[in-house]
Amino acid sequence: MTGRNSLRKAVVGAAVVAGLVGGAAVPAAASAAAPADVQISACGFWVNAQGWAFYTHCTGSVYTIVQVKVVTRSGPGSLICVRPGTVGLGPNSVVSNAYYTGRLC
């Protein structure tokens, strides 16, 4: 039973990484240029036209909560757990990036 759980976690983790890597191909500049009333559907880190930073955790048929490193312009940043969907991170003047660490929460 333990072997199956380990294999399942590895498969789920690989699927999450594949989804996030694919979503990372969306350029941040394109997201920043979008009108304020348009919902961005990018996976990963993005910034809206008003200068607010977001992280969108895209997932397939498996519900996962992932660990994300939030990089700030000053200081060490922080690790947060993100459920599927979009989470606001704060102004882009403070948050410079966010990325999946490869770990589940």
Side-chain angles (χ1 to χ4, degrees):
M1 196 70 138
T2 303
R4 283 185 159 189
N5 286 339
S6 296
L7 177 60
R8 183 176 176 210
K9 285 182 181 180
V11 170
V12 169
V16 171
V17 170
L20 291 175
V21 170
V26 177
S31 298
D37 58 340
V38 174
Q39 174 64 34
I40 306 298
S41 60
C43 297
F45 178 77
W46 56 278
V47 178
N48 71 5
Q50 290 77 31
W52 287 93
F54 297 88
Y55 185 88
T56 300
H57 169 38
C58 299
T59 184
S61 61
V62 179
Y63 182 92
T64 57
I65 301 174
V66 297
Q67 185 181 66
V68 172
K69 171 72 175 188
V70 178
V71 181
T72 58
R73 298 191 186 279
S74 62
S78 61
L79 294 171
I80 62 172
C81 291
V82 178
R83 298 172 192 267
T86 301
V87 62
L89 302 174
N92 191 40
S93 60
V94 175
V95 178
S96 62
N97 197 4
Y99 59 88
Y100 171 56
T101 65
R103 296 179 181 222
L104 298 177
C105 290

